[in-house]
Amino acid sequence: MGLFFAIMFPAVVGFFVASWFLRGDTEACFFDRVFFGFGVGTGLLTLIIFLIGLLGIGFSLPAICTPLVVISVVFIIINLKKEGMRPADYISGGGGTLFTAHRGLKLALALMILIWILCKFYFVISESMLRPVLSWDTWFNWSAGAKFFFYEKGLLLDPGSEFYFGSGYRQFLGHPLHTPLLQVWFALCVGSFDEALVTMWSPLYFIALIGVFHLALKKETTALYGLICVFFLASAPLITYHAIDAYSDLPLAFYFLASTASFWRYLKLGDRRYLMLSGLFLGISVFTKNEGLFFFIATGAALSLYLLKEGKKPLAGDIFSFLVPFLIFAAPWLIFKTVSGIGFGHSGAGSGLEWLSDPKYAEGTGRGLHFEVFWIAIKEVLVRRSNFNLIFPFWIILSIWGFRRVLDSGLKYLYIIIFLVIGAFAFTYLTLEATAVTESTGIHRNLLTYTPVIFLSAALLLAELIRGRDR
Amino acid sequence: MGVHFAMSLKTLLLFRLFPFRKKNFLKAGFLPALTILIIIVLSAPQALALTRMEGWTLAYAYPTGVKVTGGEAAISDDGTISITGPGEMKLTAKVGGGLETSGKALTFTLESQADAYGVLRVRSTRGIALRRFMLRRGERDYFFDLEAIFGPDDYILAVSLDFLLEGGSVGILDLSVKEAGPAKRIVKALFTTETFTTKMINHINGPTVMGVSFLVAGYILTAILFTALLIIFVIRKKPLLKSAGTSGCSSAPFRAFIVAFVVAAALLAVRTEYRWATLYGQDKVVLPGDATGTRIFTLFSQELPDFLRFLDYVKSTVPEGESVRAATNSAGDYMRLARYRLLPVRSSEGATYIWSYNDHRLFYDEAKMTLMDGVRVIAAPVIRVGVFGGSGKGALYMVTGAPRSASLAGGVSPVAGAGEVDASRLSETAGEGA
């Protein structure tokens, strides 16, 4: 019962909030609200827990649930009064279903893939319930702090304490708190820090990621095409592996994909609420992992280029639509970091860039530019590991093939986002984190965070090429 | 939009995706089908055989044991460790609790099947000492004089040996101890200390097929399919894809590219799913009977390590509201794991309760109620609350008065006459061993 509540409560709150954002899209269906709502709801949940912790209020279900109930009631009222949304409107919308759109062999193929996907969902949920916190990195980076916060019922922000903000348990105080606080939430609902059940959000992010991906493609193409693409995304081994452990890269991947899918919809429809949703998801991603800032900068740059190219006026409305939701979720964490002197790197205050001039940094790799990482990265990603199936060579060849189509369509903005993200990570590997590549520690996990967006861009481009229409 | 796309997609899906019509299915599809069949037949035995062996992520050995990077290690009953692997290999071990070095030398017998560069790295309470040496083919003795590097009161905390084989050749290295003394004790500490492994989340080691990674096998399959399909398309000389519009997707190379990748990727996906299915089958049998907190060790070690049983003992023994600390803090990751698993019992520097595990250097003087770390006092007066297990490896103490000193990590108070450890005197020497 506690587990059911832990899952459903944030999902329901997020459902009502997401419904407002999706109101203007007639193609958005019930499942759009569910999957987007799950991401919004969990983001709201951890933001509230964090704010409660900053205020020094002890973590408890009433303290956490009360603000969220208020938020959901406010959105229900707004949806009813301003948007005219009746209960039936929450479950309606969207285009044809799988059964109305397809017949014969196509329907059989679609059903086969659908059954496979459902089996996959069953697998990740069952494995998550069976397996405890699995990997050394997970408990080291995320679960140790979560367990400590759960038993302390707060963030312990007394600067004089040896346990300040989880010191002694959290190796890197600068790591964001979204997933540790999710573990705290599940533990509070279950009543104990059960090492399997506190990770149950992980398969749910997997399911939500698959759902958002499929629905983004379904709106542009067909349900069957979306399902075929889902088959390849969901079978990527590292994504499945992360779905049954509690690391933060899968939630980050979800938020980046959800943000990009929203941004793509904004490009298509011009609906600012989608832009708000994109900013909102990026705000949560900053509270999920420090790399979320890369995604924000990349998406912000793509938006700026779009606005400049389209000559949209006034610009302020679009810019504020993007920035305000982002800041609502990201600002508390960033302000707290700045005020308390917690940095973005692996030690102390600062951006991490000061390491560039620190001769003691990166023992074993040395200071300077590590150009060797390029070749090692290519070998790692394209030859050595099969973490993401064949998507990277496929995407590269397809992008070359459809280069003109990319330039002629809105896809170029997705490619700008992807290339800026790759560039940001490449800069990090070249300068600060060469071992992430040379010792194969971080590069694949980093790839995981934006590979779903690469899948999305490849699927959209392929659809464009199959459609064969000149724009 | 969706309807238009569906019409176009229809031309590419199912049977129309392939360059044949239903009536001449066997004839036109013979070559790709045969290719797929051959590859499946050739790869199936290897793939199935490797299912149980493949590692899904990096195995992580806790540092009181031996960690081997770049090679495989095997330890014999007589304490000889064999390392096998190509190129660069590294043998790392931290010594639980530290070993004194006073006036002794390290002498190793190393037998290698290839020339190599070697670096002995010894981390002690004083600093890090490096000894670079040439590892010659055959069996030789290597002598490392530690007396010149460390003082009589220094302690070895970690030892590592790096080997770089020239040209990436495969080498076998047998490491054993020539003489008694600290070297023997170090190796004993390395090889008999309890180890257990867990996983890292960074990446997955997929299966291999006929000596190549599954990804490379996917490339080979893609290339074969692409070539075969292209030939068939060219032979047929007519557009089989009745796609609307002018895009390049109606071209033979594009169709061959899509089909080849889709088929290869689908095979990889199915193989991956098969692995997950077997994993689920194993977990479903093995795991449900265990308590949640012990399952990870059931998975990786087949049994709960003694150290973790000891932590459970500490957790259940310490009164509610009290905190604990470790007597020594030399094995960092063990300490982190301990802190995590001991919760809700806090680990605090000022704790009343002190635990020790597998620390041969610790001595409890019952008469003086003093807990000693070699010649240093860790805390006094203390009483021993209990001893864990028949071997007496673990013990729990309680400080009965105000603690006189902090733990080793917090700054050890030496007994009268002993000098403070000068960490700034980092010793680094380079020289030829043996």
Side-chain angles (χ1 to χ4, degrees):
Chain A
M1 189 62 194
L3 181 65
F4 182 76
F5 180 75
I7 295 167
M8 290 306 294
F9 181 73
V12 169
V13 172
F15 178 82
F16 289 119
V17 177
S19 296
W20 182 84
F21 285 101
L22 300 174
R23 181 60 172 156
D25 187 356
T26 54
E27 291 184 70
C29 66
F30 170 74
F31 289 108
D32 279 288
R33 297 180 193 102
V34 169
F35 295 132
F36 277 126
F38 173 75
V40 174
T42 50
L44 277 169
L45 175 79
T46 55
L47 178 68
I48 293 294
I49 298 175
F50 178 59
L51 294 175
I52 285 173
L54 289 183
L55 294 171
I57 300 169
F59 294 161
S60 66
L61 289 180
I64 296 167
C65 292
T66 305
L68 288 168
V69 168
V70 171
I71 289 170
S72 57
V73 168
V74 167
F75 270 89
I76 288 169
I77 292 170
I78 290 172
N79 287 341
L80 182 67
K81 299 288 183 188
K82 299 278 186 186
E83 307 293 334
M85 281 187 82
R86 305 289 164 189
D89 294 326
Y90 284 103
I91 55 172
S92 65
T97 65
L98 193 65
F99 299 98
T100 57
H102 302 297
R103 285 282 182 275
L105 279 171
K106 287 168 77 173
L107 180 61
L109 177 65
L111 287 175
M112 270 176 58
I113 299 174
L114 191 62
I115 290 166
W116 172 85
I117 290 169
L118 293 175
C119 290
K120 184 89 183 182
F121 289 170
Y122 174 78
F123 166 75
V124 291
I125 291 171
S126 302
E127 277 292 299
S128 292
M129 293 186 84
L130 278 174
R131 291 193 162 211
V133 174
L134 185 65
S135 63
W136 177 84
D137 330 46
T138 301
W139 66 256
F140 181 77
N141 284 326
W142 308 105
S143 292
K147 195 174 182 182
F148 183 70
F149 288 147
F150 168 70
Y151 283 115
E152 297 299 327
K153 298 289 185 284
L155 297 176
L156 274 85
L157 294 174
D158 174 11
S161 168
E162 69 172 296
F163 301 112
Y164 170 73
F165 202 38
S167 294
Y169 291 89
R170 298 179 68 226
Q171 173 70 359
F172 306 118
L173 297 187
H175 278 188
L177 291 179
H178 178 66
T179 52
L181 294 181
L182 271 181
Q183 292 190 44
V184 170
W185 164 254
F186 273 76
L188 283 170
C189 293
V190 172
S192 66
F193 199 88
D194 184 301
E195 288 199 21
L197 299 184
V198 296
T199 68
M200 277 306 294
W201 45 267
S202 204
L204 299 177
Y205 272 109
F206 175 80
I207 293 169
L209 178 97
I210 296 303
V212 166
F213 180 74
H214 175 256
L215 292 168
L217 288 175
K218 180 175 171 280
K219 290 191 192 83
E220 304 292 327
T221 59
T222 64
L224 175 57
Y225 181 78
L227 283 172
I228 292 170
C229 295
V230 158
F231 171 76
F232 292 109
L233 173 66
S235 65
L238 196 63
I239 294 177
T240 305
Y241 182 49
H242 275 245
I244 56 176
D245 206 348
Y247 213 77
S248 290
D249 287 319
L250 183 66
L252 185 63
F254 165 80
Y255 284 117
F256 185 40
L257 177 71
S259 167
T260 309
S262 303
F263 181 68
W264 175 251
R265 239 12 222 164
Y266 161 75
L267 295 179
K268 286 277 174 183
L269 304 177
D271 184 350
R272 277 185 188 162
R273 290 191 191 185
Y274 266 116
L275 196 55
M276 295 170 79
L277 207 49
S278 178
L280 184 151
F281 285 130
L282 289 171
I284 303 172
S285 74
V286 168
F287 194 45
T288 304
K289 282 197 89 181
N290 287 331
E291 295 94 305
L293 278 174
F294 292 166
F295 304 148
F296 168 69
I297 291 167
T299 310
L303 173 65
S304 304
L305 287 171
Y306 169 74
L307 294 175
L308 288 172
K309 187 170 183 299
E310 297 296 313
K312 288 192 81 172
K313 287 182 182 175
L315 291 174
D318 291 77
I319 291 170
F320 276 108
S321 297
F322 181 68
L323 282 181
V324 171
F326 168 79
L327 289 173
I328 287 172
F329 281 86
W333 170 241
L334 296 176
I335 291 169
F336 170 76
K337 269 189 153 188
T338 307
V339 171
S340 58
I342 298 170
F344 288 88
H346 284 169
S347 61
S351 64
L353 294 177
E354 66 278 4
W355 291 345
L356 291 172
S357 57
D358 183 355
K360 290 180 183 172
Y361 179 69
E363 186 186 353
T365 54
R367 196 175 58 168
L369 293 174
H370 296 272
F371 288 109
E372 72 274 13
V373 298
F374 281 120
W375 301 113
I376 300 171
I378 288 169
K379 198 171 102 179
E380 278 284 313
V381 175
L382 293 180
V383 180
R384 199 159 167 227
R385 317 274 184 198
S386 49
N387 290 323
F388 302 103
N389 207 321
L390 294 172
I391 185 60
F392 296 121
F394 180 78
W395 179 70
I396 291 166
I397 297 170
L398 189 73
S399 301
I400 294 168
W401 214 303
F403 181 68
R404 288 298 302 272
R405 189 55 57 91
V406 171
L407 288 183
D408 294 343
S409 68
L411 278 169
K412 60 178 169 289
Y413 297 109
L414 296 196
Y415 275 75
I416 287 169
I417 292 172
I418 292 167
F419 283 128
L420 286 175
V421 168
I422 291 173
F425 277 110
F427 172 77
T428 312
Y429 302 147
L430 270 172
T431 55
L432 298 167
E433 297 276 3
T435 52
V437 179
T438 56
E439 295 180 8
S440 193
T441 54
I443 181 171
H444 299 285
R445 285 190 290 104
N446 296 152
L447 273 171
L448 168 65
T449 62
Y450 57 94
T451 293
V453 174
I454 288 179
F455 265 98
L456 181 67
S457 68
L460 289 171
L461 176 59
L462 181 61
E464 288 276 324
L465 292 172
I466 292 171
R467 186 180 292 122
R469 275 191 317 183
D470 289 324
R471 286 175 179 277
Chain B
M1 182 187 291
V3 173
H4 182 87
F5 177 81
M7 293 297 287
S8 303
L9 182 67
K10 189 182 171 188
T11 63
L12 194 64
L13 282 176
L14 302 177
F15 292 103
R16 289 165 198 261
L17 195 67
F18 294 90
F20 44 76
R21 293 195 177 93
K22 293 174 192 174
K23 61 184 180 183
N24 58 357
F25 175 88
L26 288 174
K27 184 182 173 186
F30 178 73
L31 186 55
L34 184 66
T35 309
I36 294 170
L37 191 66
I38 289 169
I39 288 177
I40 289 174
V41 168
L42 288 175
S43 66
Q46 288 88 345
L48 290 174
L50 285 165
T51 297
R52 293 175 65 81
M53 296 165 59
E54 68 192 46
W56 282 88
T57 55
L58 282 174
Y60 184 86
Y62 275 88
T64 44
V66 180
K67 181 183 177 185
V68 178
T69 310
E72 302 253 338
I75 303 170
S76 66
D77 292 338
D78 64 355
T80 301
I81 183 165
S82 296
I83 316 167
T84 311
E88 196 170 353
M89 293 180 290
K90 187 172 187 177
L91 171 67
T92 311
K94 289 183 182 176
V95 180
L99 291 162
E100 67 269 36
T101 62
S102 56
K104 304 291 183 185
L106 278 175
T107 307
F108 288 109
T109 301
L110 303 175
E111 182 180 358
S112 177
Q113 293 185 0
D115 290 345
Y117 298 104
V119 179
L120 172 73
R121 195 182 308 242
V122 182
R123 186 162 66 83
S124 78
T125 46
R126 183 175 296 196
I128 298 170
L130 297 176
R131 283 297 180 116
R132 299 185 180 89
F133 60 99
M134 285 297 297
L135 184 65
R136 302 293 184 195
R137 191 186 300 264
E139 183 177 321
R140 288 165 187 265
D141 292 342
Y142 295 86
F143 173 80
F144 303 98
D145 183 5
L146 297 177
E147 193 173 18
I149 303 170
F150 303 117
D153 292 324
D154 293 325
Y155 291 83
I156 291 178
L157 300 173
V159 180
S160 75
L161 280 164
D162 292 17
F163 302 101
L164 180 62
L165 293 165
E166 282 189 313
S169 60
V170 175
I172 299 174
L173 184 79
D174 286 335
L175 169 65
S176 62
V177 177
K178 180 74 175 173
E179 295 176 0
K184 186 76 177 176
R185 294 180 61 186
I186 287 170
V187 174
K188 188 180 175 189
L190 299 186
F191 297 164
T192 59
T193 307
E194 182 180 61
T195 63
F196 53 90
T197 58
T198 178
K199 300 280 183 183
M200 295 187 85
I201 195 103
N202 295 316
H203 54 78
I204 287 170
N205 297 326
T208 57
V209 179
M210 292 178 284
V212 297
S213 74
F214 221 66
L215 196 62
V216 173
Y219 290 147
I220 296 167
L221 177 59
T222 306
I224 293 170
L225 280 174
F226 179 78
T227 309
L229 289 166
L230 202 58
I231 292 167
I232 292 170
F233 283 140
V234 170
I235 289 170
R236 290 179 64 86
K237 287 183 182 173
K238 56 181 182 180
L240 293 158
L241 193 66
K242 295 169 184 170
S243 175
T246 57
S247 86
C249 75
S250 58
S251 68
F254 183 80
R255 280 175 288 159
F257 159 68
I258 297 296
V259 173
F261 263 98
V262 165
V263 171
L267 280 175
L268 288 178
V270 169
R271 173 65 181 83
T272 304
E273 297 306 321
Y274 167 70
R275 177 62 183 91
W276 290 124
T278 56
L279 183 85
Y280 178 61
Q282 291 164 9
D283 284 1
K284 207 176 159 191
V285 173
V286 173
L287 292 180
D290 294 349
T292 313
T294 66
R295 285 178 187 170
I296 188 168
F297 306 105
T298 307
L299 282 168
F300 302 133
S301 311
Q302 281 71 56
E303 61 178 14
L304 186 67
D306 190 58
F307 176 61
L308 300 177
R309 284 205 299 271
F310 168 70
L311 292 178
D312 290 341
Y313 158 77
V314 172
K315 202 155 73 169
S316 61
T317 307
V318 171
E320 196 176 336
E322 290 287 352
S323 54
V324 295
R325 62 183 162 118
T328 57
N329 194 20
S330 56
D333 287 332
Y334 245 92
M335 292 301 146
R336 288 187 214 287
L337 182 69
R339 280 172 166 253
Y340 173 69
R341 287 190 68 89
L342 282 170
L343 282 169
V345 177
R346 275 182 170 186
S347 296
S348 170
E349 289 300 320
T352 309
Y353 285 83
I354 302 171
W355 62 264
S356 72
Y357 181 79
N358 204 24
D359 198 337
H360 306 295
R361 213 179 58 230
L362 275 186
F363 172 70
Y364 175 60
D365 187 334
E366 198 162 2
K368 295 179 181 174
M369 297 172 67
T370 304
L371 186 61
M372 309 278 286
D373 176 11
V375 293
R376 303 160 203 238
V377 175
I378 290 179
V382 294
I383 58 168
R384 185 155 58 192
V385 177
V387 175
F388 171 75
S391 61
K393 279 198 295 189
L396 183 65
Y397 306 91
M398 186 178 76
V399 181
T400 55
R404 285 190 200 165
S405 63
S407 71
L408 186 63
V412 176
S413 294
V415 292
E420 289 281 347
V421 174
D422 183 5
S424 65
R425 286 161 54 201
L426 186 79
S427 172
E428 182 168 326
T429 59
E432 183 90 359

